[in-house]
Amino acid sequence: MMSKTVYFDNNATTRVAPEVREAMLPFFGELYGNPSSMHAFGGQVAAHITKAREQVAAFLNCEPDEVLFTSCATESDNTALRGAAEWFGREAKIVTTAVEHPAVLQPARRLKAQGHEVVELPVDGVGQIDLGRLRSELEGSRNAIVSVMWANNETGTVFPVRQVAEIAKEFGATVHTDAVQAAGKAPLDMRQVPVDMLSISGHKFHAPKGIGILYVRRGTKFKPFMLGGHQEGGRRAGTENVPYIVGLAKACELASANMEAEAEQLTAMRDKLQAGILATCPNVRVNGDQSHRLPNTLNVSFEYIEGEAIAYHLSDEGICISTGSACASGSLDPSHVIRAMGVPFTAVHGSIRFSLSRYNTMDEVDYVLEKLPPIIRNLRDMSPFGPDKAPTTF
Ligand code: PLP
């Protein structure tokens, strides 16, 4: 067993909060009734779902009947895109971005194969989209479907979702946002941001894996993806995952209660980490929009070396980080997000992501700042590439 674990991979998944675990336990024990049953034993469980839905609605500042519980954000994203596309038919153009999570990009590409016009908006060097380009893509469209993420999972870049939604609404589009990485780190206020649908995943903010939310504004048109039961008002069939629903609601409550203080704590740790890396490691670039960024995320490219090698050596020191999104790791292809931002060839393979949570400490930041620079120096010494190495031709 590794003696020390420093977990800086919270955009991949998070530790379940003890309060969340505690709230879930009765539903693995005595409260096992089916919430759809006629009897009072099931009915008391249904009451806990009602309460959980109200807690989530408070978190999103929306109505409880606008909250659907799903199995994960991948399901939420698929339901939003494919459900709206099925409602509107092939004439619906889909406008999304080149840096979405595969849970959005792949359904969008499937819809393209099925005859929809699909546009993946490019991003600039810091990973932002051009709102003028969004507008021009929507001009003349009917019943378009716009999906722009709230914040990017790899770089932490936060998108102007409110403006995106306002523009999309001028053209009568249906607007979806994947808010998986923003949940718990930034306020999600459905009365302020006119999106129609929004996806969240429990395991990214201290609830367990395997529970998600799809927010659906009243009146939004989509065809349900999961059929076979009356649950969730007929919009998502399947017996409810009661313990996880209760856990997710608890995670929402904890996040709302501490969001500002946590954001401050996360920013302080992240900024110290960033400053320390820039001060000790030459030929490093920070990826993402530093003026619109999640407080917990730092994505850096170390030129001339491989992110996988850095991750491997950090892992030997008990430090957990990621190279690109967890779904993409295991493949040596550079991340589609980093490539879309036009990061130079010398840096594109050397990108790693640190992502922090409320359970991290400044001591852990110091530990990483002690272990990382010698790893970078050693890898650079071994690399055939570098500013002071003999030129290489390909
Ligand atoms: N969207 C984003 C931005 C993500 O980061 C993730 C997970 O990595 C997902 C969607 C998928 O979430 P889930 O694991 O709940 O399916």
Side-chain angles (χ1 to χ4, degrees), residues 72-74 77 101 149 153 178 180-181 201 203-204:
C72 60
T74 299
D77 287 345
H101 190 273
M149 67 201 321
N153 45 306
D178 176 330
V180 167
Q181 295 295 345
S201 176
H203 73 101
K204 307 292 184 172

Side-chain angles (χ1 to χ4, degrees), residues 47-78:
H48 286 279
I49 296 186
T50 302
K51 182 173 167 228
R53 206 182 300 283
E54 285 164 4
Q55 285 170 300
V56 176
F59 180 68
L60 295 175
N61 197 17
C62 70
E63 298 301 328
D65 65 7
E66 295 175 317
V67 174
L68 305 191
F69 293 110
T70 64
S71 66
C72 60
T74 299
E75 182 193 324
S76 303
D77 287 345
N78 272 265

Side-chain angles (χ1 to χ4, degrees), residues 57 252 363:
C252 289
D363 283 349

Side-chain angles (χ1 to χ4, degrees), residues 136-380:
S136 66
E137 290 295 347
L138 290 174
E139 243 133 43
S141 68
R142 265 169 52 88
N143 300 323
I145 300 161
V146 173
S147 183
V148 173
M149 67 201 321
W150 198 295
N152 186 267
N153 45 306
E154 296 192 34
T155 60
T157 293
V158 175
F159 289 89
V161 175
R162 182 179 177 164
Q163 284 142 281
V164 165
E166 283 169 357
I167 292 169
K169 287 284 140 202
E170 287 176 35
F171 298 93
T174 299
V175 192
H176 166 253
T177 185
D178 176 330
V180 167
Q181 295 295 345
K185 297 164 203 153
L188 304 175
D189 185 337
M190 298 301 95
R191 296 217 163 84
Q192 295 297 321
V193 181
V195 294
D196 298 302
M197 298 199 246
L198 171 142
S199 306
I200 293 181
S201 176
H203 73 101
K204 307 292 184 172
F205 66 116
H206 308 296
K209 296 155 192 66
I211 182 74
I213 290 169
L214 180 62
Y215 158 80
V216 181
R217 190 178 293 279
R218 283 182 183 167
T220 301
K221 297 188 168 68
F222 80 107
K223 292 226 171 138
F225 180 56
M226 300 275 278
L227 305 175
H230 61 276
Q231 293 91 350
E232 304 298 297
R235 293 167 297 169
R236 199 280 181 183
T239 302
E240 299 89 338
N241 186 349
V242 185
Y244 284 40
I245 287 172
V246 169
L248 174 54
K250 187 70 188 174
C252 289
E253 201 182 270
L254 293 173
S256 301
N258 301 315
M259 200 173 300
E260 253 178 61
E262 253 172 45
E264 246 175 65
Q265 175 206 351
L266 291 169
T267 306
M269 290 191 290
R270 191 271 316 274
D271 288 354
K272 181 171 186 191
L273 184 61
Q274 175 171 323
I277 291 172
L278 293 177
T280 52
C281 304
N283 299 95
V284 173
R285 49 174 286 152
V286 176
N287 298 315
D289 185 348
Q290 290 185 58
S291 48
H292 301 94
R293 190 167 48 155
L294 292 174
N296 78 320
T297 307
L298 170 61
N299 188 306
V300 278
S301 283
F302 296 88
E303 286 194 281
Y304 312 114
I305 51 179
E306 294 275 350
E308 281 73 19
I310 306 170
Y312 182 76
H313 288 285
L314 285 174
S315 175
D316 275 352
E317 302 290 354
I319 299 166
C320 309
I321 56 101
S322 204
T323 61
S325 80
C327 309
S329 64
S331 117
L332 283 179
D333 285 342
S335 126
H336 70 288
V337 175
I338 301 298
R339 266 183 302 160
M341 290 164 52
V343 173
F345 172 76
T346 48
V348 86
H349 287 273
S351 95
I352 63 173
R353 177 188 71 188
F354 300 91
S355 48
L356 312 180
S357 85
R358 69 169 76 118
Y359 298 115
N360 291 124
T361 63
M362 278 295 183
D363 283 349
E364 291 178 324
V365 171
D366 290 336
Y367 178 74
V368 173
L369 287 175
E370 178 198 323
K371 297 294 178 190
L372 180 67
I375 291 173
I376 302 298
R377 270 197 302 277
N378 287 344
L379 290 172
R380 289 242 169 93

Side-chain angles (χ1 to χ4, degrees), residues 41-117:
F41 187 66
Q44 64 176 331
V45 174
H48 286 279
I49 296 186
T50 302
K51 182 173 167 228
R53 206 182 300 283
E54 285 164 4
Q55 285 170 300
V56 176
F59 180 68
L60 295 175
N61 197 17
C62 70
E63 298 301 328
D65 65 7
E66 295 175 317
V67 174
L68 305 191
F69 293 110
T70 64
S71 66
C72 60
T74 299
E75 182 193 324
S76 303
D77 287 345
N78 272 265
T79 303
L81 264 75
R82 300 169 77 177
E86 201 187 330
W87 178 284
F88 288 110
R90 269 210 213 122
E91 69 164 19
K93 178 176 181 176
I94 290 143
V95 183
T96 185
T97 81
V99 295
E100 296 297 313
H101 190 273
V104 166
L105 279 179
Q106 289 191 17
R109 288 171 189 169
R110 168 73 66 86
L111 290 167
K112 185 171 182 177
Q114 290 169 348
H116 288 264
E117 188 183 352

